[in-house]
Amino acid sequence: MDLLLQLLLNGLILGSEYALLGIGWAIIFNTTGTFHFAHGIVYTAGAYGAIFCAQTLRLPLPLSIAGGVLGAVLLAMAIDQWAYEPMRRKQATSMTLLITSLGILIVVENLVPIFFGTQSLRVAEIATVPFSIGPFFLTNIHVWKIGVTWTLFWSLLAFLRYTRPGKALRAVGSNPQMARIVGFNLRRIYLLAFALGSVLAASGAILEMADTGAVPHMGTMAVLIASMAVFLGGMGSLMGAALGGFFIGMAMSLSIWKIPSEWQLTAGFGVLVLVIAIRPRGFLGGKVGKAEI
């Protein structure tokens, strides 16, 4: 029983991490309709940006974290403006944008080892403090993962519901053609979506770096999990993306109870296939292309 309870706690931690990935990817997809595989390199940039600021620039820890997040946001906005936007003006298909995004991920991710090496890196100033609560074992990083994820999620929902830029994001996600007709600047709104999604991605990457270390190809797995979370929760729903990521993390954690740990990812994909087979639109999905907050 103690093992099961520990696995449930681990599932809460892992599910929170994956929920953050799903939310960050979903806010971009819901608003722009772009299958943003390059989100993976933005995720990686958040972790390595914080490491660069701490180890090379010798900045204090808070500024290093802020530098990592800012670097990820600027990279994502640059990708949108210099890669996606010219293609949108030429009316490129969604598949063309997807292939471009995948190409950016592969190229940039393979440049990371040239500058940082292939070894796992961490910011030394972030200390890992293990502790136990009754039969449960966890660390301060685990607590931060849970706290940061759900604080950012509810803050994002509040932003989308109660601010003018947030309402504009929702309007564009629901009907971009009508939003353009009534005068919305889609280019600015797309940039805002990429910025918000990248803040979430970078935050998750920095937490993962603090927990297990940063490696050059960490973004590939991150964007894979993020897209799985969105498909599982339902395309067009932020709440669904959070629920999908949480469900995947919980399933992968509990799978260790009965099967070897190397089958964790298989368990996650198995849950995705099972849910999609029963409910093709996911937990909370509506029609594809219609965003719901």
Side-chain angles (χ1 to χ4, degrees):
M1 182 58 69
D2 285 350
L3 174 60
L4 176 60
L5 293 176
Q6 181 66 53
L7 290 176
L8 286 171
L9 177 60
N10 293 347
L12 172 62
I13 297 165
L14 191 62
S16 297
E17 177 184 341
Y18 290 170
L20 191 60
L21 291 175
I23 299 161
W25 196 84
I27 189 65
I28 295 172
F29 179 81
N30 292 356
T31 305
T32 70
T34 303
F35 206 96
H36 183 43
F37 263 125
H39 195 63
I41 197 58
V42 172
Y43 177 87
T44 304
Y48 279 95
I51 292 170
F52 176 79
C53 290
Q55 296 184 353
T56 304
L57 301 182
R58 303 293 181 181
L59 297 179
L61 181 58
L63 291 180
S64 296
I65 293 173
V69 173
L70 178 61
V73 169
L74 293 177
L75 176 60
M77 295 172 73
I79 291 171
D80 180 58
Q81 288 303 289
W82 296 341
Y84 299 156
E85 185 59 28
M87 290 188 173
R88 292 192 197 104
R89 289 198 296 266
K90 296 178 181 178
Q91 298 183 335
T93 64
S94 298
M95 182 58 67
T96 301
L97 287 172
L98 186 154
I99 294 172
T100 301
S101 181
L102 183 59
I104 293 171
L105 171 64
I106 294 171
V107 170
V108 180
E109 197 170 59
N110 282 281
L111 293 176
V112 174
I114 297 175
F115 298 98
F116 294 95
T118 59
Q119 71 277 16
S120 178
L121 298 177
R122 297 181 73 254
V123 173
E125 289 78 6
I126 303 179
T128 301
V129 182
F131 61 94
S132 59
I133 302 177
F136 303 114
F137 173 84
L138 65 164
T139 70
N140 58 324
I141 308 297
H142 296 155
V143 176
W144 292 348
K145 281 185 176 183
I146 298 171
V148 169
T149 292
W150 301 109
T151 298
L152 288 176
F153 176 58
W154 293 112
S155 298
L156 178 62
L157 288 187
F159 173 82
L160 292 170
R161 286 187 180 275
Y162 301 115
T163 69
R164 293 186 65 183
K167 293 176 181 178
L169 279 169
R170 295 172 60 197
V172 171
S174 296
N175 195 325
Q177 291 78 21
M178 183 60 67
R180 187 191 297 273
I181 290 172
V182 300
F184 284 103
N185 187 325
L186 295 193
R187 191 170 180 178
R188 291 182 181 178
I189 293 171
Y190 284 0
L191 283 175
L192 176 58
F194 275 92
L196 289 174
S198 301
V199 167
L200 271 63
S203 300
I206 292 170
L207 287 168
E208 183 63 15
M209 176 270 294
D211 189 14
T212 62
V215 292
H217 298 286
M218 63 192 295
T220 299
M221 181 59 68
V223 75
L224 179 63
I225 294 295
S227 56
M228 285 172 58
V230 171
F231 286 127
L232 183 61
M235 297 173 71
S237 171
L238 280 186
M239 186 66 74
L243 180 61
F246 184 80
F247 198 82
I248 290 170
M250 189 65 72
M252 290 174 66
S253 176
L254 290 176
S255 67
I256 302 176
W257 195 24
K258 295 297 183 181
I259 62 177
S261 59
E262 57 265 26
W263 290 87
Q264 270 189 309
L265 189 58
T266 303
F269 271 108
V271 169
L272 174 64
V273 171
L274 180 62
V275 172
I276 295 301
I278 297 173
R279 185 175 173 80
R281 293 178 179 173
F283 291 137
L284 303 178
K287 293 182 179 180
V288 175
K290 181 178 179 182
E292 297 176 0
I293 304 300

